[in-house]
Amino acid sequence: MRISTLLYTLKQGLKNVIRNKVFSLASMATIAACIFLFGLFYCVVANFRYMVKEAEAGVSVTVFFDEGISDEQIEEIGNLIKKRVEVDKVNYISADEAWNEFKEEYLGEYADGFENDNPLKDSASYEIYLKDVSMQSALVTYLESVDGIRQVNKSEFTADALSSLNSLVGYISGGVILILLAVALFLISNTVALGISVRKEEIGIMKLIGATDFIVRSPFIIEGMVIGLIGSAIPLLGIYLGYDKLINYIVEKFNILSTILKFLSVDIVFETLLPVGLIMGIGIGFVGSFWTVRRHLKV
Amino acid sequence: MIILENVSKSYSTGAPAINGASLHIKKGEFVFVVGNSGSGKSTLIKLLLKELNPTEGKITVNGTELSRIKRRKVPKFRRQMGVVFQDFRLLRDRNVYENVAFAQRVIQTPTRVIRKSVPAILSLVGLAEKYKAKPKQLSGGEQQRVAIARALVNNPSILLADEPTGNLDPKNSWEIMKLLEEVNKRGTTVLVVTHNREIVNAMQKRVITMKKGIIISDEEKGGYIYEN
Ligand SMILES: Nc1ncnc2c1ncn2[C@@H]1O[C@H](COP(=O)(O)OP(=O)(O)OP(=O)(O)O)[C@@H](O)[C@H]1O
Ligand SMILES: [Mg+2]
């Protein structure tokens, strides 16, 4: 396509948007609401995932062995554990290491009284890190059945409750977004249909002059895409500007939870949110207008 | 240039609008098509533009049989023809220059070509000075000149005019007809549908008369046959 044709088409598309001000604004507002909700939802989910990931990284299962077990047996058990699919990493912690750690953490300077007498001499253990926290119970069941294992200490961390909250938020936002999406499509379709009816005569002349379908249709497609672009750019900009303020507010309000509440930076969130949001907005505009043009503009 | 062989066109309701019409128009001819209201004149124009397809028969324009033109190729086919209507069909929101340029823009003519061809064609139709005027600031005759300029700017080999003087007073009607004759002298084949008996009789051109969809007469240097 020629540059001059492209410019002409763009100009006509923009003209369409301006000519149907009221409808264009209504469509933009609906898309904006849709993308805004999507953006919020995405921020919540992305941060939530991030927090869970951070928390999960510290989750481990610890196994202790029967008294009087030999080092070979311990090694054998270690090999069994390493073969499990759930397992990401296994650390062996000898009785001495366990004692040293305990001393440092709880006794400090009072540890001297124990001298070389390790009260935790049967406390050698494996510290097992999981690939995925949800696999914890399966692994624990297995470990409990292994000969030579006296005790399995599992982490109390449960992502289950949080996960179900997460999916509830997901379903509700998803539902609202779908409804808004449908409304946005409907409005765009009406806006474009109105534009087509206003320009019926012009379209008729274009066809008689020998304009191709592409030239006749593209201003209307552009119209839809411009509406989608503006409709998605506004809420995205809003979220971008408001994000840090919101995070600061949350951190201040809930600073007791500051160890769990770790947030992604706005730039990392927008690495995904910006393209996805814009594509969604422009996509709604494109689909809505394309579909309408096909229905109302049989060339 | 234009050949109709036994062409009929029936709309879904009523008698056929065109019934077994055959005719041959050579390159460079000037032809009037006359007939009572409802005799099928506008239908004939629509068939030539491939806005409608005949229910029977064969139409050939510039050596191409219309039924063989694929849907996708229709725009290209139409570029060989200019059309003018009784109601001008100008774009109200654009000035004279843009109305004419429009015809070139939509077929993707480069802007540098448009800048030359539009003033040239406007001076041919005698509107060079009014290029900035909006249609509603022009008289009917002037508006029709703009429409003719738009129809001609892409250098069509055929100009079709459906009652181009239907909304004009006698003086303007004459001027438009003279303009069409001038266009014809420059080599364009011109087909004019009209009810203007006086002009048809005065101009002594080929006259095709239709009645109820049938071509009832076709005469060189003919006159306006009036029947009821
Ligand atoms: N879209 C249509 N659907 C059904 N019938 C139609 C349609 N268009 C035209 N007709 C009929 O076809 C016949 C021919 O119409 P056409 O418009 O070709 O006449 P015309 O010679 O141009 O008349 P006029 O001088 O009034 O413009 C008429 O009987 C008309 O009612
Ligand atoms: Mg007619």
Side-chain angles (χ1 to χ4, degrees):
Chain A
M1 187 164 51
R2 291 180 176 285
I3 304 271
S4 55
T5 308
L6 184 73
L7 290 178
Y8 180 76
T9 306
L10 275 174
K11 191 173 147 198
Q12 295 307 317
L14 289 173
K15 260 194 182 168
N16 284 357
V17 174
I18 296 162
R19 218 180 297 202
N20 301 330
K21 267 185 230 74
V22 179
F23 270 78
S24 298
L25 283 176
S27 313
M28 279 178 205
T30 329
I31 292 187
C34 191
I35 300 292
F36 182 71
L37 266 190
F38 170 77
L40 277 190
F41 170 64
Y42 177 80
C43 288
V44 170
V45 169
N47 277 298
F48 182 79
R49 282 237 188 104
Y50 175 67
M51 287 176 208
V52 170
K53 258 234 158 66
E54 289 285 292
E56 274 179 5
V59 171
S60 62
V61 175
T62 316
V63 293
F64 298 96
F65 312 103
D66 291 340
E67 278 171 45
I69 196 168
S70 70
D71 286 353
E72 290 78 44
Q73 279 172 300
I74 289 179
E75 210 181 314
E76 216 168 276
I77 292 171
N79 288 336
L80 279 175
I81 293 171
K82 276 177 202 152
K83 273 187 215 143
R84 296 289 295 182
V85 287
E86 301 94 337
V87 174
D88 183 33
K89 201 172 67 179
V90 178
N91 287 341
Y92 177 69
I93 295 170
S94 67
D96 289 344
E97 280 166 349
W99 174 231
N100 287 337
E101 200 176 304
F102 183 85
K103 273 196 298 191
E104 256 167 51
E105 212 163 305
Y106 298 102
L107 302 175
E109 55 205 79
Y110 308 111
D112 294 351
F114 291 93
E115 284 304 321
N116 291 326
D117 187 18
N118 182 352
L120 296 178
K121 67 177 174 355
D122 284 323
S123 290
S125 66
Y126 279 124
E127 205 173 58
I128 306 161
Y129 291 90
L130 297 152
K131 282 189 185 132
D132 184 337
V133 185
S134 66
M135 294 169 166
Q136 179 172 270
S137 57
L139 182 68
V140 169
T141 314
Y142 167 75
L143 292 172
E144 280 167 345
S145 72
V146 174
D147 265 353
I149 291 184
R150 164 168 54 98
Q151 196 188 338
V152 181
N153 282 357
K154 60 181 182 196
S155 164
E156 286 311 311
F157 182 90
T158 49
D160 291 1
L162 285 174
S163 290
S164 55
L165 180 70
N166 194 8
S167 46
L168 185 69
V169 171
Y171 286 135
I172 293 173
S173 335
V176 175
I177 289 169
L178 272 183
I179 292 169
L180 283 173
L181 215 71
V183 175
L185 272 175
F186 174 78
L187 279 175
I188 286 200
S189 170
N190 275 291
T191 310
V192 171
L194 184 75
I196 291 172
S197 71
V198 167
R199 303 181 78 160
K200 265 247 142 62
E201 206 179 2
E202 184 176 338
I203 292 166
I205 298 167
M206 287 173 91
K207 288 185 199 167
L208 283 177
I209 288 169
T212 54
D213 292 6
F214 180 81
I215 297 286
V216 174
R217 288 172 169 180
S218 43
F220 299 102
I221 309 277
I222 302 257
E223 176 185 3
M225 287 169 71
V226 167
I227 289 174
L229 172 70
I230 299 176
S232 54
I234 291 170
L236 288 175
L237 185 72
I239 293 174
Y240 187 83
L241 297 176
Y243 185 88
D244 283 336
K245 288 200 185 91
L246 186 68
I247 299 289
N248 287 340
Y249 176 79
I250 294 173
V251 169
E252 264 171 43
K253 272 266 155 172
F254 304 97
N255 62 4
I256 328 154
L257 297 175
S258 62
T259 48
I260 323 176
L261 292 179
K262 288 180 186 130
F263 292 98
L264 291 163
S265 77
V266 68
D267 293 328
I268 290 182
V269 171
F270 268 72
E271 255 170 42
T272 311
L273 183 56
L274 184 67
V276 172
L278 285 179
I279 288 168
M280 261 178 82
I282 298 170
I284 300 168
F286 177 80
V287 171
S289 53
F290 190 81
W291 179 63
T292 312
V293 161
R294 290 212 69 141
R295 270 188 49 204
H296 291 267
L297 251 188
K298 299 230 171 64
V299 202
Chain B
M1 174 127 290
I2 297 174
I3 303 166
L4 268 71
E5 293 168 71
N6 239 320
V7 171
S8 295
K9 171 67 194 178
S10 302
Y11 293 104
S12 46
T13 54
I18 291 192
N19 198 346
S22 294
L23 72 94
H24 190 155
I25 296 170
K26 288 193 280 297
K27 184 169 162 48
E29 274 195 274
F30 188 112
V31 182
F32 281 123
V33 178
V34 301
N36 291 342
S37 183
S39 57
K41 305 179 297 292
S42 296
T43 303
L44 172 66
I45 295 223
K46 287 181 181 149
L47 288 173
L48 292 175
L49 286 165
K50 205 170 158 63
E51 256 190 89
L52 296 173
N53 292 316
T55 19
E56 270 169 61
K58 207 163 103 177
I59 302 176
T60 311
V61 174
N62 280 343
T64 315
E65 200 199 314
L66 266 53
S67 65
R68 291 181 189 276
I69 299 175
K70 293 205 181 70
R71 214 188 68 90
R72 221 162 26 85
K73 298 281 184 192
V74 170
K76 194 133 195 213
F77 162 75
R78 287 188 182 149
R79 291 176 195 181
Q80 312 168 54
M81 284 184 276
V83 215
V84 177
F85 300 94
Q86 178 175 1
D87 56 359
F88 320 135
R89 301 202 190 167
L90 300 176
L91 301 173
R92 262 154 292 161
D93 60 334
R94 285 173 232 191
N95 64 26
V96 168
Y97 180 93
E98 275 306 321
N99 263 284
V100 178
F102 175 74
Q104 295 205 294
R105 294 201 201 286
V106 299
I107 64 163
Q108 313 198 42
T109 309
T111 310
R112 96 191 108 78
V113 175
I114 296 178
R115 283 205 194 104
K116 286 202 191 103
S117 55
V118 174
I121 205 79
L122 282 177
S123 68
L124 175 75
V125 301
L127 275 178
E129 284 98 62
K130 300 219 172 184
Y131 72 98
K132 269 187 171 167
K134 288 276 173 67
K136 67 168 183 288
Q137 298 166 318
L138 299 175
S139 74
E142 287 169 332
Q143 291 190 46
Q144 193 61 292
R145 286 164 190 276
V146 179
I148 291 170
R150 183 181 66 194
L152 292 177
V153 74
N154 290 323
N155 279 316
S157 55
I158 302 168
L159 181 67
L160 305 173
D162 193 350
E163 301 189 37
T165 63
N167 283 346
L168 304 179
D169 61 21
K171 181 175 162 288
N172 273 305
S173 296
W174 264 111
E175 283 177 11
I176 292 296
M177 285 300 185
K178 286 288 166 199
L179 177 60
L180 293 177
E181 194 179 22
E182 172 67 26
V183 167
N184 173 247
K185 282 198 182 125
R186 289 162 171 256
T188 310
T189 308
V190 176
L191 188 152
V192 184
V193 170
T194 186
H195 287 289
N196 197 317
R197 167 202 281 265
E198 191 196 334
I199 292 178
V200 171
N201 286 336
M203 280 176 70
Q204 292 290 302
K205 302 284 184 189
R206 179 174 170 189
V207 178
I208 294 168
T209 309
M210 296 186 67
K211 187 184 181 184
K212 291 183 179 162
I214 297 167
I215 294 175
I216 55 165
S217 104
D218 182 350
E219 292 176 54
E220 296 297 327
K221 298 184 197 272
Y224 196 101
I225 305 168
Y226 202 81
E227 301 188 41
N228 275 315

